Amino acid sequence: MNALIQVPLLTRVEGRGALRLEIGEGSIHALALKILEPPRLFEKLVEGRGRDQVVEMVARIGGLSPVAHQLCAAQAFERLAEVEPAPWVSAMRRVMLCGEWIQSHSRHIHLMALPDFLGANDIQALMERHGEVLQRGWRLQQLGRELVALFGGRSVHPVGVRIGGFYRAPEPLAVAVMRQRLQDALPAAEALLGWIAKTLPFPQDEHPFTSVALSPAAGYPMGGSRIQSGDWLDIDASEFIRHFERHEVDHSLAPHSVLDKRPYLVGPLARLNLGLPELSPAVRQALAATGISFPSHNMFHSILARAAELLFALREALGLLEGYERPARSFEEVPHQNGISYGAIESPCGLLWHCYEIDDHRRVNAAWIVSPTSQNQARMEEDIRLSLERLGLDQDETSLRQRAERVIRNYDPCFSCAVH
Amino acid sequence: MTKPRIAVHQFNSCGGCQLALLDPGSLLAELSQCFEIVHFAMAGFLDEGAEVDVALVEGSISSAPERERIEQVRARSGYLVAYGACAASGGLQALRNQADGSQWIAELFDRPERIGLLPAATPITDHVKVDWTLWGCPVNGRRVRSLLRDILSGVRPKRDSRPLCMECKERQLICTLVTQGQPCMGPVTQAGCGALCPAFGRACYACFGPSEQVNHSALAGRLQGLGLSKAETARRFRFIHGNASPFRLAAHGLEEE
């Protein structure tokens, strides 16, 4: 069978991407995941800017992960000055990032992924059949939004993060109310994880790949400065470009990334594969109760990884906010320093890396930013190929196209962010 | 009664303004009760070329395919809303308009010839007629819903382009400029965010674009009085809405001096 499969515009992803597949005589001749998003040239836009403005600018790289970008940049400037933020600041930043994970994962599970698993594309059809599931998901999504807003005033491009800490510490009363709500949401998150495992059909689609995430030595991968792979790699964030090779391809305006000449995975499933032992016993138990074993090399288990991380993030935030007291100062002064600085963080969709060169005038001279989706591109293409071969290339075009689209959505791609 | 048809189009942007329709998902359900959602790719609706009554257009026009696409969108849409900062003024990416864009691309890409950017990133209104503009980076969810309600009821939306200071005073916040000497952009910035930055004890950075009757030279003088250099003052104006004319003129004036 010869077939040309084209998806001119992918749906239920962020930004504009397309897919083109040529199949002939039992093999895939050509495969291109195209990113159509024009670059906004962020690495150049930040040149000549001071660090405070950079923190606001980089949020705009990705509207779906502004907190991760802001925290990554702030961390880079603090490390350059060799200032370790106070424990309160580190803890509250982790809570804020938990908020972004909760919001993003719940959005992806319920709006982006569920329609594929349940075979319903229309939100109203989904509402009629699974109204309670969606309502539960939206309550979790709203809670994540409000957790971000507690520290930043709004959930998209929040305004609370500054170099050295936060512009304002939340009121203890607001934190007490939030803690109660997080506590109350735990059963919903546990039920969600169980429901996904029990109800949704997961295609059998295992194949080997390398997981890359921040090192679990600093707790479940969210922050820290070391980057690990499932096999041998354990490096400092400053060594990132020496190990991860990046190259331009014709069909995408975002460069591809490889490790040892091979594609690799970043994101929730990669984190879970590496960070499993760091999950609290309660989350590990809930995950074990699903009957699906992790580490997993089936990308369709990404939705489970997101649900597990959602539960983890609720508990993590709850724990970090326990005994909350408002500090005398919500930030510390960070001296200006010139040189090259690095930041690394786990955004909801995977490892994010920033690097800035700061000149003698306290301004950015050069910047390099590597987003998760850009790194996942090569892996997505490899995955589509393997997944379709496993499905059978003799299937009808609709089945092949739908499978390819589902594979892409497993990665929660953010194309604007990838190109930036 | 048939529901009016709506489309949400993404041009060059971060996608964040679309979240005002998706976060939480109940908003999408509400939207689909009031409108027939015809095209909204991020939410799973795909029919880019369909005729619609209302089009929300996010993003700036940065490439030739986008320039063509916005004309098609205009031709097939009844009421077209420039939705968010990038659509309203070109957004942060329009900062490249003052620079040598091709030089930047040459520095960033090994094969710059395949990057087909237009010389400038521009707002929607530079290309087609815009019926309403919703400012904000990101747009404010309450304002989005109020606009959609107005469109549904067939009333003309109310323009509120007062400066942020008004909103700040309504919330009885303490002025960061007067009391702390912070370089607040509130006096020249549109209200609409709820005076978030002053509530966090920090200076507004003008993410809602220029207000009515911008007196940029008075504010520029005040900021320099606080100790900012001319270049620093210019960078306060040349930021998220640096391409909006009052801010562009203010920055240009300071850079020329």
Side-chain angles (χ1 to χ4, degrees):
Chain A
M1 180 188 99
N2 290 318
L4 174 64
I5 295 174
Q6 299 213 65
V7 184
L9 184 61
L10 290 160
T11 56
R12 287 186 267 121
V13 295
E14 191 287 321
R16 293 174 68 83
L19 180 71
R20 188 175 187 281
L21 265 172
E22 277 176 45
I23 298 172
E25 288 139 27
S27 71
I28 296 173
H29 289 315
L31 190 163
L33 174 64
K34 302 182 188 179
I35 303 192
L36 314 166
E37 205 68 47
R40 286 170 292 154
L41 311 176
F42 265 89
E43 278 129 334
K44 290 289 168 189
L45 299 179
V46 296
E47 281 185 8
R49 298 279 167 173
R51 58 188 189 177
D52 294 336
Q53 283 197 319
V54 171
V55 170
E56 308 308 344
M57 293 174 91
V58 294
R60 273 75 185 177
I61 288 174
L64 279 62
S65 52
V67 174
H69 279 284
Q70 288 184 332
L71 294 181
C72 195
Q75 178 198 60
F77 292 111
E78 289 155 8
R79 276 187 195 155
L80 185 61
E82 294 177 7
V83 170
E84 180 77 23
W88 180 87
V89 170
S90 304
M92 292 309 117
R93 284 183 175 173
R94 201 166 161 96
V95 174
M96 191 180 185
L97 189 59
C98 281
E100 187 156 274
W101 280 24
I102 295 166
Q103 172 188 18
S104 176
H105 285 351
S106 184
R107 183 196 311 119
H108 193 271
I109 291 170
H110 297 93
L111 289 173
M112 314 290 178
L114 267 192
D116 282 333
F117 282 93
L118 297 170
N121 201 8
D122 184 275
I123 179 81
Q124 281 189 324
L126 210 55
M127 276 292 289
E128 278 162 29
R129 282 160 48 194
H130 301 279
E132 282 177 20
V133 170
L134 292 189
Q135 299 283 0
R136 178 179 65 199
W138 297 342
R139 281 196 300 275
L140 291 167
Q141 199 181 348
Q142 177 67 11
L143 186 57
R145 274 188 81 205
E146 289 180 25
L147 189 51
V148 174
L150 181 66
F151 294 92
R154 60 187 176 197
S155 58
V156 180
H157 309 329
V159 301
V161 175
R162 61 166 289 164
I163 308 285
F166 290 93
Y167 282 101
R168 186 184 80 178
E171 299 281 351
L173 181 62
V175 172
V177 171
M178 178 52 77
R179 282 204 75 225
Q180 189 58 51
R181 295 185 55 202
L182 291 167
Q183 183 74 48
D184 294 346
L186 287 176
E190 273 165 32
L192 173 64
L193 179 61
W195 179 83
I196 289 174
K198 193 172 86 238
T199 320
L200 303 185
F202 299 101
Q204 284 298 316
D205 195 15
E206 301 226 336
H207 44 253
F209 56 77
T210 302
S211 298
V212 171
L214 286 175
S215 165
Y220 190 81
M222 288 191 99
S225 64
R226 293 201 75 78
I227 298 167
Q228 273 195 5
S229 78
D231 19 319
W232 62 273
L233 187 84
D234 185 0
I235 56 164
D236 188 77
S238 59
E239 301 170 289
F240 181 86
I241 22 182
R242 277 204 276 146
H243 292 275
F244 293 86
E245 198 185 313
R246 295 171 59 69
H247 59 271
E248 290 177 22
V249 296
D250 279 334
H251 54 270
S252 169
L253 294 175
H256 282 204
S257 273
V258 289
L259 174 65
D260 297 334
K261 317 261 181 237
R262 299 268 310 128
Y264 61 95
L265 174 75
V266 297
L269 190 60
R271 289 192 290 253
L272 192 61
N273 284 347
L274 296 182
L276 201 58
E278 294 305 316
L279 288 175
S280 64
V283 181
R284 267 213 307 274
Q285 246 169 24
L287 195 60
T290 63
I292 294 168
S293 67
F294 288 90
S296 163
H297 288 83
N298 180 353
M299 274 307 291
F300 286 92
H301 288 157
S302 295
I303 188 170
L304 273 168
R306 285 192 184 91
E309 282 195 341
L310 201 160
L311 178 60
F312 158 78
L314 284 176
R315 287 193 167 274
E316 183 79 356
L318 202 51
L320 290 168
L321 290 174
E322 197 182 329
Y324 176 87
E325 277 178 38
R326 215 173 178 187
R329 270 172 80 86
S330 59
F331 63 91
E332 55 195 293
E333 295 296 343
V334 177
H336 283 276
Q337 178 68 45
N338 55 8
I340 296 181
S341 65
Y342 304 90
I345 203 165
E346 289 287 346
S347 98
C349 47
L351 177 68
L352 171 66
W353 184 83
H354 286 200
C355 172
Y356 302 96
E357 186 190 1
I358 312 299
D359 67 16
D360 298 341
H361 305 287
R362 304 178 172 184
R363 290 192 277 152
V364 173
N365 190 44
W368 297 270
I369 292 161
V370 180
S371 79
T373 299
S374 152
Q375 298 178 73
N376 273 339
Q377 285 179 103
R379 176 83 263 279
M380 283 192 260
E381 289 189 347
E382 178 189 59
D383 192 354
I384 294 166
R385 184 181 291 274
L386 295 170
S387 187
L388 292 187
E389 283 169 3
R390 167 117 10 141
L391 183 70
L393 295 175
D394 52 351
Q395 298 274 322
D396 64 79
E397 284 185 31
T398 310
S399 313
L400 290 169
R401 182 177 49 77
Q402 283 176 346
R403 169 60 75 96
E405 288 190 50
R406 285 189 68 179
V407 168
I408 294 167
R409 284 189 202 106
N410 282 336
Y411 292 78
D412 186 10
C414 179
F415 294 127
S416 305
C417 196
V419 178
H420 63 268
Chain B
M1 199 185 98
T2 56
K3 293 188 272 193
R5 291 154 63 85
I6 192 166
V8 181
H9 295 277
Q10 180 168 1
F11 287 80
N12 203 202
S13 62
C14 77
C17 287
Q18 292 177 67
L19 296 187
L21 305 164
L22 291 178
D23 275 351
S26 48
L27 295 175
L28 183 66
E30 277 169 36
L31 187 71
S32 76
Q33 278 162 13
C34 306
F35 290 91
E36 182 188 348
I37 308 174
V38 180
H39 176 75
F40 186 175
M42 205 202 288
F45 301 87
L46 186 68
D47 191 354
E48 212 168 13
E51 302 230 336
V52 293
D53 300 296
V54 182
L56 304 183
V57 176
E58 184 199 59
S60 67
I61 304 302
S62 302
S63 66
E66 286 182 330
R67 192 172 52 190
E68 261 172 52
R69 186 156 59 91
I70 189 61
E71 283 178 10
Q72 290 161 7
V73 166
R74 174 68 273 185
R76 290 166 191 156
S77 309
Y79 195 84
L80 189 148
V81 179
Y83 181 74
C86 300
S89 79
L92 209 42
Q93 58 270 27
L95 289 174
R96 78 171 160 89
N97 301 0
Q98 275 75 42
D100 183 351
S102 54
Q103 178 63 34
W104 280 12
I105 291 165
E107 287 174 31
L108 283 179
F109 294 91
D110 294 338
R111 282 176 293 148
E113 66 282 359
R114 52 190 202 96
I115 315 296
L117 286 183
L118 292 170
T122 44
I124 303 302
T125 182
D126 281 11
H127 301 268
V128 296
K129 176 174 168 275
V130 166
D131 297 296
W132 193 259
T133 299
L134 209 52
W135 293 80
C137 180
V139 291
N140 176 294
R142 261 199 331 269
R143 284 202 162 189
V144 173
R145 286 185 285 288
S146 130
L147 172 67
L148 292 175
R149 266 197 307 274
D150 288 345
I151 293 174
L152 275 175
S153 344
V155 299
R156 193 178 159 71
K158 192 166 164 282
R159 164 89 48 215
D160 180 6
S161 49
R162 297 172 304 158
L164 183 85
C165 295
M166 306 295 282
E167 211 169 26
C168 192
K169 296 290 113 24
E170 276 169 17
R171 288 193 61 184
Q172 303 194 331
L173 297 170
I174 296 165
C175 180
T176 62
L177 198 153
V178 170
T179 66
Q180 296 158 37
Q182 294 198 43
C184 187
M185 298 297 284
V188 297
T189 302
Q190 261 189 70
C193 65
L196 279 183
C197 286
F200 274 73
R202 62 173 296 195
C204 159
Y205 59 89
C207 70
F208 267 65
S211 65
E212 60 198 12
Q213 298 173 348
V214 168
N215 186 348
H216 57 77
S217 50
L219 184 65
R222 186 76 169 85
L223 297 190
Q224 289 170 76
L226 297 173
L228 270 70
S229 69
K230 276 205 169 73
E232 282 167 332
T233 308
R235 283 198 292 274
R236 298 287 294 164
F237 283 98
R238 221 187 262 303
F239 203 46
I240 290 170
H241 288 282
N243 192 46
S245 57
F247 289 178
R248 195 177 57 219
L249 290 173
H252 192 67
L254 287 159
E255 287 157 358
E256 287 286 289
E257 276 176 42

